[in-house]
Amino acid sequence: DIFTMFSNSVTNGGKTTLAEKLKNMLPNCGIISQDDFFKPESEVETDERGFKLYDVLDALYMDEMVTSIRNWMKSPASSGVVTQEPQNTCDSLKNVYILIVEGFLLYNYEPLNELWNRRYFLTLPYEECKRRRSTRVYQPPDTPGYFDGHVWPMYLKYKNELEENASMQVVYLDGTKSQEELLSYVYSDIIQELNKLRE
């Protein structure tokens, strides 16, 4: 059995940390990160304010990402992103391969929509998101006004598109909660979903 889950998030929402912790708890689990498919800086468009437009799909090699996901699904055991089975694995996780795909623009790209079993979306309020972003170092570094002028508006745009799509089933997660609380909830939810698939 193959189970694919997508973890989407506002910038610095905690998706990568959550994905890594889940990988350590789940058997035969791999992670594919959208951040690995960014185009080089020279190929990313710049707007009239001088902002590099990283928070749009055109800044990413999305076709390559879809290919990587499909290749994993065809042959998860030989994908190179599979871990050994953790100890004390519950019965519902025996003989299952799990792929976690994490990123910030996953649900607005149509070719990905048919590949999921479960979608999660980590949210943060503006002030907390901006605070966390300010503690990170990016290459290239954020220019003054970049968060307010590009990053946050793009997040709101994509989140609104997602909420307006009635057919999109998404589990929203509060990114201000502790990692332990989020991890416990998502792990339990995955187990429940796997049990439903096997009924």
Side-chain angles (χ1 to χ4, degrees):
D1 291 339
I2 292 175
F3 183 86
T4 54
M5 57 167 283
F6 292 80
S7 173
N8 202 102
S9 166
V10 62
T11 179
N12 296 282
K15 61 189 175 299
T16 304
T17 304
L18 181 62
E20 289 291 345
K21 289 186 175 182
L22 282 168
K23 181 180 177 180
N24 292 331
M25 294 175 67
L26 297 166
N28 302 322
C29 182
I31 297 177
I32 290 177
S33 174
Q34 192 173 36
D35 284 355
D36 293 336
F37 297 91
F38 270 114
K39 293 176 180 177
E41 184 182 357
S42 60
E43 293 183 34
V44 176
E45 288 187 32
T46 304
D47 71 6
E48 66 280 356
R49 299 163 298 178
F51 292 151
K52 281 284 183 181
L53 303 181
Y54 277 104
D55 289 52
V56 297
L57 287 167
D58 284 345
L60 297 143
Y61 294 118
M62 291 302 295
D63 52 343
E64 290 183 15
M65 185 177 184
V66 172
T67 299
S68 294
I69 294 169
R70 288 190 182 280
N71 286 342
W72 187 95
M73 292 174 74
K74 283 179 197 167
S75 184
S78 60
S79 65
V81 291
V82 172
T83 60
Q84 295 301 311
E85 185 172 301
Q87 293 180 338
N88 305 320
T89 299
C90 62
D91 288 341
S92 61
L93 291 178
K94 297 288 186 186
N95 304 314
V96 65
Y97 289 98
I98 298 171
L99 179 64
I100 301 170
V101 181
E102 60 100 357
F104 66 105
L105 288 176
L106 295 175
Y107 306 149
N108 308 80
Y109 188 65
E110 194 61 37
L112 286 177
N113 286 340
E114 64 191 57
L115 303 178
W116 61 275
N117 289 105
R118 200 71 168 149
R119 289 187 177 98
Y120 302 96
F121 193 105
L122 279 151
T123 64
L124 280 178
Y126 168 84
E127 290 294 345
E128 177 61 13
C129 185
K130 189 171 186 178
R131 184 193 69 76
R132 291 187 190 183
R133 177 94 181 189
S134 70
T135 67
R136 296 273 298 274
V137 177
Y138 291 91
Q139 288 300 326
D142 283 355
T143 54
Y146 188 67
F147 179 85
D148 287 317
H150 176 61
V151 175
W152 188 255
M154 286 296 98
Y155 162 65
L156 294 179
K157 175 181 181 288
Y158 287 115
K159 185 169 179 280
N160 287 340
E161 287 176 5
L162 183 60
E163 290 170 342
E164 288 170 4
N165 187 344
S167 66
M168 194 85 72
Q169 292 185 318
V170 179
V171 178
Y172 288 93
L173 304 171
D174 180 355
T176 64
K177 290 187 176 178
S178 71
Q179 280 291 329
E180 291 72 21
E181 193 172 353
L182 289 168
L183 184 65
S184 174
Y185 176 83
V186 175
Y187 180 81
S188 298
D189 190 63
I190 291 169
I191 301 299
Q192 190 174 354
E193 288 301 306
L194 283 166
N195 288 332
K196 283 183 190 174
L197 286 174
R198 293 182 167 193
E199 285 175 358

